[in-house]
Amino acid sequence: MSSRSMLYATLAALIVAASFVVAGPAASAAAPVRIMPLGDSITAGPGCWRAKLWQRLQTSGYTNIDFVGGVSDGGGCNPGYAYDFDHEGHGGFSATGIADNNQLPPWLAAARPDVVLMHLGTNDMWGGYIPTATKLTAFTKLVGQMRAQNPAVKVIVAQIIPMSAGACATCPADVVALNSALPGWAAGLTTAQSPVVVADLWTGFDAATDTGDGVHPNDAGFQKMADRWFPVVTRVLDGVTPTASASPSASRSVTPSPSRSVSPSPSRSVSPSAGARCTAEYRITSQWGGAFQGEVTVRNTSAVASSGWTVTLGFTGGQQISQAWNASVTQTGSTVTARNVSYNGGLPQSGSTSFGFLASWNNTTNPAPAVTCTLT
């Protein structure tokens, strides 16, 4: 065979070999790590630390992640960039209430998280009557329920942000007591398969300047929360293997109170307003002798974004609101008027937010009020 013939034969063989390589099956994309932000209104409404954390993770190369949960904020944070709306934040909920009422297992079954970011305990502080040990018992039960759903779940538990004495006289010391107990509690519960890691969100956070009401963060507070979550989350992500049931996506592959709580009793009404419509859903999240805690979720059901909202509650049982958050609330007789605050008035189409309150009742009947909602 001539040298030219040998060259042609060699080239032909290489082309055939290349065609087999091209025709072979493509490598499957790594499944995304499923991260469930779990908490109360600090996570839910608007909970914009989630958007800020998502953005920092994305820009740092952690793109193969999926925030999961049964609640969506509909883009209500409006940060100027895209982020994952999903979470498991429930305004007004307490750790003890979630544990006592076994509310977590169905959330876990739907979300199937690989990692849980838990900022819970703020609503367990009101009144100062739930002992730290009871709160930790609730935390332990919640971690057990997480492991029952996923034995390899990674749990990041926050030392929660401070509360001001102006919002609740007994709360600052109770927050310190819980936060001080968390490292030892986590060390006793952690395992190699399912580590429990503590994230310090308390240090450097000023309840006077980083919140709007002594409890709920403003934009600067949400940024501080995201900055404190980030190094702990990335450390955990670098050792996470995602669950096999998760669907594939994205680019960078990350190896991965006791008797106080009652069942929610919602009341909903819709009030149209010149093409701008919203719904408001009222519910009681906790109730005890002579007092209760309520929550109202506002949702934009119109075809346009809102710039503000107003909710009216018409009580019939003598209820009196003593404190509120995430809304500017006034009461005249039996009528309560709640208006958005600066950071949660702008709701995109289908977007939602929530506000909460503490109130008194007659300790006999606590009927749901008539609820109306309007947008501007």
Side-chain angles (χ1 to χ4, degrees), residues 35-220:
I35 302 174
M36 186 172 84
L38 172 64
D40 45 43
S41 57
I42 294 171
T43 296
C48 293
W49 64 262
R50 294 180 286 101
K52 296 177 185 295
L53 176 60
W54 173 267
Q55 173 71 357
R56 187 167 178 190
L57 288 169
Q58 297 293 304
T59 57
S60 299
Y62 292 86
T63 57
N64 196 32
I65 58 173
D66 181 12
F67 279 12
V68 295
V71 187
S72 169
D73 67 27
C77 289
N78 297 313
Y81 46 77
Y83 67 98
D84 193 326
F85 304 161
D86 298 328
H87 63 89
E88 203 65 70
H90 297 269
F93 279 46
S94 62
T96 52
I98 293 171
D100 289 346
N101 294 314
N102 291 312
Q103 291 169 303
L104 183 59
W107 301 344
L108 294 168
R112 308 186 321 278
D114 301 302
V115 179
V116 177
L117 310 183
M118 189 171 86
H119 187 285
L120 267 177
T122 300
N123 288 315
D124 299 271
M125 301 298 163
W126 301 109
Y129 71 92
I130 301 178
T132 298
T134 302
K135 297 165 190 169
L136 293 177
T137 298
F139 278 23
T140 301
K141 181 176 180 179
L142 296 178
V143 171
Q145 291 173 336
M146 295 173 198
R147 288 172 171 169
Q149 191 278 326
N150 176 6
V153 69
K154 277 59 176 176
V155 186
I156 306 178
V157 178
Q159 290 175 301
I160 63 175
I161 62 174
M163 303 168 71
S164 74
C168 166
T170 60
C171 290
D174 286 348
V175 170
V176 171
L178 174 65
N179 287 344
S180 298
L182 284 177
W185 165 83
L189 203 60
T190 195
T191 67
Q193 183 183 28
S194 176
V196 179
V197 182
V198 174
D200 179 5
L201 271 67
W202 189 88
T203 300
F205 194 103
D206 188 336
T209 60
D210 295 328
T211 72
D213 56 6
V215 180
H216 297 85
N218 53 28
D219 192 64

Side-chain angles (χ1 to χ4, degrees), residues 214-235:
V215 180
H216 297 85
N218 53 28
D219 192 64
F222 283 132
Q223 186 63 61
K224 286 187 176 181
M225 290 184 70
D227 290 344
R228 301 293 290 191
W229 277 119
F230 178 77
V232 184
V233 171
T234 55
R235 188 169 74 246

Side-chain angles (χ1 to χ4, degrees), residues 271-284:
S271 175
S273 173
R277 299 180 302 277
C278 58
T279 61
E281 181 178 337
Y282 168 94
R283 65 177 176 174
I284 296 171

